[in-house]
């Protein structure tokens, strides 16, 4: 918002200056006096030149009406390299901006302008029209036909946490898949560096209907409506696309509570399986963390595993403790951070109910993650079982990636880029182990996740556990299965329905 306000300050200043002049008769009288002075020789020459110029322009105008191609050739223009005109067929123009892609806040502003103008009551994918044409900006000609016909781009800017962006991006990728549009990630403004520093290039994983086609020029991105040929979405504009109308269209209208959310859950799961995947460097780091973590497991379970008659795997619980700027949603926490003991109690409650492979006689091994370094120590001290977390790693390439401080968005934005990069890598390793995403049947296997639904790590943990793994046998009324669930939310603890949401809107 502030950026847009700054952009607007120039014209505002300008107009206020002119009105101040208008209100001062002295200066305007002075100007009048000046213009009444006899014309100097130069002025007369200039006037003559002006008349000539007007004549030339008149001829050009006539030519332009009668013989447009001639005019085009004369000035070396043809349609292909003409910039889109401001009076576009689709009625949209972002031409007043000078730098593309726009910032997330500027796209938000463009959506806000649209949405105040009309209310859409039609289908989610009905295209709002402008004088009969689908609302859009103009598109430059693509003489070689190499630009994708139709795209969805997720714009990363880092104004929200990593997991929050991923949760939203997963839906955008799924929508692109369903609509036969090519999916791109734009990281021009990303405060964490480049997407491919951490993840595989999405265009190589989700190739879309026109493999190898080129991304559109960012001048042609449109934030709203979503039916524009090159739709761009980011954490701020998501509320215009993944809110009520999205729920109406994509949730299961016959399902109750959790069951309503099943299709959206599936969309996220599919995207994390096929499109949003750590790159090779990150996979290696995740692997190193897992190998080191495995060595922490008590010997007893290793012996059991050696026994051919059991299919026992080395399984663990994950605990994610979000501090920093995130306030728990549950009324019972009174807006105060959730105490360590609440997480510990949740582990043993789950253990005693469980049909899990972990023996009840020993405390589960815990992979522990938190943005807050002191919380890791506090939990490890209070817990009577084995814990492992990044700062405790013996590998220097891992322990330097641990979260340096409680996550407050504005404080994070002020860290040097190198520190943000490290923290992002650390967060991604934590995310992999907390949620079980990208793990498959690999050991150690995530048994249960003790998290808070107010944190996006918590939301994604359900995706990693899978529908049945996370929620158990969800009944017809859409209630979570409290005996079998392995997704344990210590924040709302089931006091709000549905108990899980796929993503957060900002
Ligand atoms: C661009 O700026 C001009 C001058 O401020 C204004 O008249 C015009 O409406 C703007 N166009 C758009 C599409 O916002
Ligand atoms: C893309 O558009 C071109 C030209 O309109 C068309 O020939 C082509 O079939 C389209 N490709 C796809 C995959 O829709
Ligand atoms: C996407 O492509 C498939 C296969 O060509 C087609 O069946 C489907 O209708 C298309 N979907 C949309 C929304 O165009
Ligand atoms: C660990 O603590 C839990 C309760 O906090 C208790 O139920 C369990 O028996 C303890 N386990 C061991 C091995 O001390």
């Amino acid at each position: 918002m502030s950026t847009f306000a700054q952009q607007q300050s120039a014209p505002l200043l300008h107009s206020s200056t002119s009105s101040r002049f208008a209100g001062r008769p002295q200066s305007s009288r002075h100007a009048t006096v000046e213009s009444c002075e006899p014309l100097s020789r130069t002025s007369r020459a200039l006037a003559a030149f002006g008349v000539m110029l007007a004549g030339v322009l008149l001829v050009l105008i006539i030519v332009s009406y009668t013989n447009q191609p001639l005019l085009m050739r004369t000035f070396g223009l043809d349609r292909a390299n003409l910039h889109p005109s401001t009076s576009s067929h689709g009625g949209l123009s972002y031409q007043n901006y000078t730098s593309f892609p726009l910032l997330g806040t500027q796209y938000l502003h463009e959506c806000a302008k649209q949405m105040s103008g009309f209310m859409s009551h039609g289908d989610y994918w009905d295209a709002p029209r402008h004088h009969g044409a689908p609302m859009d900006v103009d598109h430059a000609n693509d003489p070689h036909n190499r630009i994708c016909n139709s795209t969805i781009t997720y714009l990363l800017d880092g104004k929200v946490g990593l997991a929050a962006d991923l949760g939203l991006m997963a839906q955008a990728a799924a929508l692109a898949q369903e609509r036969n549009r090519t999916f791109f990630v734009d990281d021009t403004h990303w405060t964490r560096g480049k997407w491919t520093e951490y993840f595989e290039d999405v265009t190589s994983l989700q190739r879309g209907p026109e493999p190898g086609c080129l991304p559109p020029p960012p001048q042609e991105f449109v934030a709203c409506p979503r039916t524009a040929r090159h739709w761009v979405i980011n954490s701020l504009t998501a509320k215009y696309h993944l809110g009520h109308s999205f729920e109406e269209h994509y949730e299961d209208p016959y399902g109750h509570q959790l069951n309503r959310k099943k299709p959206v859950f599936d969309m996220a799961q599919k995207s994390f399986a096929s499109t949003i995947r750590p790159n090779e460097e990150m996979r290696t780091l995740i692997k190193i963390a897992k190998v080191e973590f495995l060595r922490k497991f008590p010997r007893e379970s290793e012996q059991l595993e050696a026994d051919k008659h059991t299919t026992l795997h080395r399984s663990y619980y994950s605990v994610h403790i979000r501090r920093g700027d995130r306030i728990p949603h549950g009324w019972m926490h009174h807006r105060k951070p959730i105490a360590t003991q609440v997480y510990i109690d949740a582990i043993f409650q789950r253990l005693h109910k469980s049909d899990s492979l972990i023996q009840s006689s020993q405390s589960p091994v815990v992979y522990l993650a938190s943005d807050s370094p002191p919380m890791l120590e506090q939990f490890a001290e209070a817990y009577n079982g084995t814990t492992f977390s990044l700062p405790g790693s013996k590998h220097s390439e891992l322990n330097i990636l641990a979260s340096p401080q409680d996550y407050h968005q504005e404080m994070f934005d002020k860290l040097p880029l190198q520190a943000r990069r490290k923290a992002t890598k650390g967060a991604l390793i934590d995310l992999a182990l907390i949620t079980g995403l990208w793990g498959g049947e690999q050991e150690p296997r995530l048994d249960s996740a003790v998290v808070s639904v107010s944190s996006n790590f918590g939301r994604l943990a359900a995706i990693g556990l899978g529908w049945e793994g996370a929620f158990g046998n969800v009944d017809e009324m859409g209630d979570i299965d409290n005996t079998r669930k392995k997704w344990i939310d210590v924040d709302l603890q089931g006091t709000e329905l549905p108990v899980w949401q796929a993503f957060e809107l900002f």
Side-chain angles (χ1 to χ4, degrees), residues 8 11 86 91-96 110 113:
Q8 289 300 292
T86 31
L92 284 180
S93 170
Y94 289 5
Q95 298 243 328
N96 278 2
E110 289 301 321
K113 267 193 346 203

Side-chain angles (χ1 to χ4, degrees), residues 163-183:
D165 262 329
L166 296 182
L168 294 168
M169 185 194 283
Q171 296 300 320
L175 291 177
Q177 181 95 27
E178 190 222 356
R179 303 300 297 178
N180 300 329
R181 300 170 90 171
T182 308
F183 181 64

Side-chain angles (χ1 to χ4, degrees), residues 214-225:
L214 299 179
Q219 287 82 343
E220 298 186 18
F221 287 166
V222 167
C224 286

Side-chain angles (χ1 to χ4, degrees), residues 184-226:
F184 290 106
V185 171
D186 190 302
D187 53 15
T188 312
H189 303 305
W190 204 23
T191 54
R192 296 168 182 268
K194 294 275 140 219
W195 173 253
T196 49
E197 285 176 51
Y198 318 100
F199 294 94
E200 292 286 343
D201 178 3
V202 295
T203 56
S204 68
L205 297 176
Q206 180 170 326
R207 294 177 57 76
E210 307 167 82
C213 64
L214 299 179
Q219 287 82 343
E220 298 186 18
F221 287 166
V222 167
C224 286
R226 68 187 75 92

Side-chain angles (χ1 to χ4, degrees), residues 145 149 209-210:
N145 240 342
N149 278 358
E210 307 167 82

